[in-house]
Amino acid sequence: MHFLHRILRNWYWFVILGMLGYSISYLYSKYYAQRIYQSQLSLSISNNTSSYFTPNQSINFIWGQGGNQDGIYIKKILFSRSLNEYLVNKLDLYTNYTTKGAIKHTYLDQDDSPVVLVIDKAHLQQVNYQITLIPKGNDKYEVILPEEGESTTLYSYITESYSDIPSYARPANKIIGVDEWYTSPNLRFKLEKNPNPSPIKFDNINISLMSVSEAVGGIVSTLSVNFDQELPTIMFVGKTGYNLNGTVRFLNTAIDELIKKRLEDTNTVDKNTLEYLAENLNDVRKKLDSSAAKLNQIKIDNKLFDMTNLDSKTFEELKQLESKKAELLSKMKNLDQVRNVVSSNNIEKIINISSAGIEDGAFSASVSELKALYAKRREMATIYTPNSEPMREINRLINEARNNSTNGLRQYYSKFDEQLLDLNSQVQKIDGDLNTLPEKQRQFLDAQRGYSIIEATYNTLLSEQAKAQMRIVSNKSNLTIIDKAKNLGQGPIAPNIKMIQSAIMGGLLFLPLLFIAIAEVLDNRVRNIKEVVNVTKIPLLGVIGKNTEDSNLTVLDRPKSSISEAFRGVRSNLKFLYDDSKPCKVILITSSISGEGKTYSSMNLATILALSGKKTVLLGMDLRKPKIFGDFKFTNKDGVSNYLTGEVSLEQIVNKTQIPSLDVITSGPIPPNPSELLLGARNQIFIEELKKQYEFIVIDSPPVGLVADAFELMKYVDATVYIVRHEYTEKYMLNMIKEKVAKKEVSHIGLIYNDYEAKQGYGYGYGYGYGYGYGYGYFEEDVDYKEPMIIKVRNQIRKIFRRN
């Protein structure tokens, strides 16, 4: 409950930090946050063509919850360096366009800019170096370069490598027109007018170049490819970026180029297949003619024109086995051709891999990678020496890709070997059954089997040739665009502005809550009257409210206030602590530490006793920190300390007040040895003298938690009043007086709970029967008291229920 009250008391911090958080989040959203947009394109992958490295469509490939092998290949192509490098160069994606507002840079697409920067690739260029264009009218632009940062290490867009040049002075700013070249040691470019620029006018256009490798890496990291869960041949290709138009332009161009490339590759591989098949058909045709002539010659020589005694079923089974064997041997020969091409440097001569029985998308992707590496090495060979580091690296990559491709073929060799072994075993079994035939018939059968094998091989090649010719005639890309990427005004996908705003505001609002919680945990002050009584086992004499006046003489100045009434209650309850039959009662007021209201309670308790007609003296025995003289407007020149040292008489230190029955003896000047004075025999005599003159002696003693003087004075008193101050006294301080009471070292002790505020909602008396109402306003002199809102609400609720 107190934690909630503390939060309510510090409401203004939540308001201030909430407003601050909203302002920060607003500024961040408007001026700093870079929006990230995403466009998407959908494709259909059909099975009507064979691509350059497209896997055979006869098997399915499980990807996630569904998919096909061609989808894997398309995805790998989309993420490949070769395709993205081609797109970077085609679309000039190594050029970044932005415009700067008062605070924030806004990313532009190339088509948004009124002019397009075209570099001279034959000239070395400085990358990551901002070029600022300021429109000057009439197609003129001022070229402004940074004040510093010019580099001597420049980039070549032809070799995609860096070179060093001699030092040079910073290029000067210059105004150039459209189609006019700007030349400096670190840059060479011209501006071309954009035929369809954005209608928005820009005060400045900032352009920076990056290397091809950086551009490719940036693109690949922003691409995403997903497949439809119900129909895996539907592919969704997405791209994120700081400019929506840029992502749309890239996706549409990328897929258009991919479709063209796949059709080109498809025709290339089928032409290679036709050439390869034509060469093999010529060789097989010659073998077929030779085998036919040999078969006829055996028939003539042995006069065998009828094989009626041969089991036709056995012969047909043998013929089918020989046909399968011939087809398998043809695949193995084609597989050797694929392997030889992969192992050589002429990857462009590869044939259709389906003719070799290859049905593996991963193998197709590895061959595609190998092809790109061979092309890259051919480019690099014109620039670097064979033993240079770049050439050694590209050769290492080629060897690695070649090994991956070769490893992919091994499974097919193993499978074909197993099939061939099985066929040979079946043929051998039939051969065993035919050993019983006459010699001439066996010769004829062997010749006829040889002819059948060659004929089957020839027919297989003719079939593959027809397929290749048909593909060339009917080839088209197996990619069909369903929905092109478009700028439909899509909102940004990141950052999540609302979440960031909530996080900023929540974080700032959490700070005061955290500090309040920490303070609450670390705060060990007393707040509960009942808890104090239960812990200390000391009877409660009364609860004193918070004094809002400047004067500490509340009973004297405001005798009809709730505080005065509370002290009257304390006066009544004191009777239970001392023997009322004694002519003089000595009451000691103490507390744990200074500041808990010990002196305040002493003055008002003495006043309330005197107002009841009892001859009372207030004795200031806190010699270390004297206080009571100020409120009574006395001087502290002579007091207890002077009397105990023998400097003055008793009559000289007694001060009369406006209340006839109340006298005050102040502490006097602070002595160097207060403990010795209070424990001395003269102090005992002093108290005994006062007992003869007064009915009540109220002693304002030192706090027991700081010095032991108060415990020593307790042996002279009839009752001890222990002061606990609300939200001031630490809980651990109660342990000392609790132990003293438990050990019976202190007796006749009562407790006053001081400085209690009704706005905490506890109510005076806290169930002890003192009945001081729900607020200070119960008493006549509390008419100007403003009841706290929480008390007002509570009282209204109680009235409603009572009324019902």
Side-chain angles (χ1 to χ4, degrees), residues 3 44 63 78 157 167 187 215 219 226 251 315 338 363 370 382 393 420 474-475 500 536 542 550 586 673 748 767:
F3 178 67
S44 172
W63 185 344
L78 286 170
Y157 281 91
S167 300
L187 293 168
I219 290 172
N226 296 293
L251 281 182
F315 180 75
V338 173
F363 172 77
L370 188 60
T382 63
E393 176 62 18
L420 184 60
S474 60
N475 262 347
I500 293 174
T536 60
D550 293 333
V586 181
N673 55 342
H748 305 287

Side-chain angles (χ1 to χ4, degrees), residues 588-596 598-599 602 619-626 667 674-675 678 683 699-714 720-723 736:
L588 181 138
I589 313 295
T590 188
S591 64
S592 299
I593 57 173
S594 177
E596 292 175 306
K598 172 179 55 64
T599 301
S602 301
L619 189 58
M621 283 198 166
D622 188 354
L623 304 184
R624 292 175 174 80
K625 197 174 182 181
S667 302
S675 294
L678 294 176
N683 188 33
I699 299 177
D700 177 26
S701 73
V704 295
L706 300 179
V707 293
D709 299 353
F711 287 116
E712 297 298 331
L713 291 173
M714 287 180 186
T720 301
V721 177
Y722 189 79
I723 308 297
M736 178 177 55

Side-chain angles (χ1 to χ4, degrees), residues 482-494:
I482 300 175
D483 290 315
K484 281 197 168 188
K486 289 184 179 181
N487 182 348
L488 301 175
Q490 302 95 311
I493 62 170

Side-chain angles (χ1 to χ4, degrees), residues 218-495:
I219 290 172
V220 171
S221 65
T222 60
L223 290 177
S224 63
V225 176
N226 296 293
F227 293 87
D228 188 87
Q229 293 184 355
E230 296 180 355
L231 191 59
T233 55
I234 303 298
M235 174 186 290
F236 303 99
V237 184
K239 186 181 187 305
T240 59
Y242 292 116
N243 185 279
L244 184 58
N245 289 332
T247 63
V248 169
R249 183 166 65 98
F250 174 86
L251 281 182
N252 290 331
T253 305
I255 299 304
D256 287 343
E257 292 301 322
L258 180 60
I259 291 173
K260 293 177 185 177
K261 185 178 183 300
R262 283 176 63 79
L263 184 58
E264 179 185 339
D265 289 347
T266 298
N267 288 330
T268 300
V269 73
D270 285 328
K271 289 177 181 177
N272 292 341
T273 303
L274 280 178
E275 291 178 8
Y276 171 75
L277 292 174
E279 294 176 2
N280 280 271
L281 278 170
N282 289 331
D283 293 339
V284 174
R285 187 180 293 110
K286 292 177 183 179
K287 293 179 181 179
L288 185 62
D289 293 341
S290 175
S291 179
K294 182 179 179 181
L295 179 62
N296 288 331
Q297 188 63 43
I298 290 175
K299 285 183 178 181
I300 296 171
D301 292 345
N302 295 305
K303 298 179 180 181
L304 294 172
F305 301 101
D306 187 12
M307 298 292 290
T308 55
N309 59 342
L310 181 62
D311 184 1
S312 60
K313 183 178 180 182
T314 302
F315 180 75
E316 185 62 32
E317 183 179 357
L318 181 63
K319 187 177 179 180
Q320 290 178 1
L321 289 173
E322 296 291 3
S323 177
K324 291 181 180 179
K325 183 176 179 180
E327 184 180 354
L328 183 59
L329 290 172
S330 177
K331 285 185 177 181
M332 294 180 74
K333 185 177 181 181
N334 294 343
L335 188 63
D336 288 337
Q337 173 66 12
V338 173
R339 182 184 62 181
N340 293 336
V341 171
V342 170
S343 300
S344 68
N345 294 337
N346 196 9
I347 194 71
E348 300 291 344
K349 290 296 183 181
I350 194 167
I351 65 173
N352 193 298
I353 57 178
S354 63
S355 64
I358 298 176
E359 302 172 347
D360 190 345
F363 172 77
S364 301
S366 65
V367 175
S368 176
E369 181 183 3
L370 188 60
K371 177 190 173 187
L373 289 171
Y374 277 130
K376 186 69 176 177
R377 186 171 69 174
R378 285 194 296 271
E379 294 177 7
M380 295 176 63
T382 63
I383 305 167
Y384 300 103
T385 60
N387 293 323
S388 63
E389 181 61 30
M391 291 301 292
R392 286 201 297 269
E393 176 62 18
I394 195 68
N395 286 333
R396 184 190 68 78
L397 294 175
I398 287 175
N399 289 334
E400 183 178 320
R402 185 188 294 136
N403 290 335
N404 290 338
S405 300
T406 304
N407 292 336
L409 295 176
R410 289 177 182 170
Q411 59 176 324
Y412 290 96
Y413 277 106
S414 176
K415 181 176 70 173
F416 291 164
D417 287 339
E418 290 178 3
Q419 293 176 2
L420 184 60
L421 184 63
D422 182 58
L423 288 173
N424 286 333
S425 175
Q426 295 181 57
V427 170
Q428 187 177 5
K429 182 179 179 181
I430 295 176
D431 281 342
D433 296 337
L434 298 176
N435 284 335
T436 59
L437 293 174
E439 181 65 26
K440 290 181 179 181
Q441 289 184 350
R442 286 178 56 198
Q443 288 180 0
F444 175 79
L445 183 60
D446 289 341
Q448 191 169 23
R449 285 170 59 188
Y451 175 81
S452 297
I453 291 174
I454 297 172
E455 184 183 32
T457 302
Y458 185 73
N459 290 335
T460 299
L461 293 175
L462 283 176
S463 177
E464 291 294 334
Q465 185 184 53
K467 290 178 182 178
Q469 289 172 340
M470 183 62 69
R471 285 195 297 266
I472 289 177
V473 172
S474 60
N475 262 347
K476 63 179 181 179
S477 176
N478 66 336
L479 294 180
T480 304
I481 298 177
I482 300 175
D483 290 315
K484 281 197 168 188
K486 289 184 179 181
N487 182 348
L488 301 175
Q490 302 95 311
I493 62 170

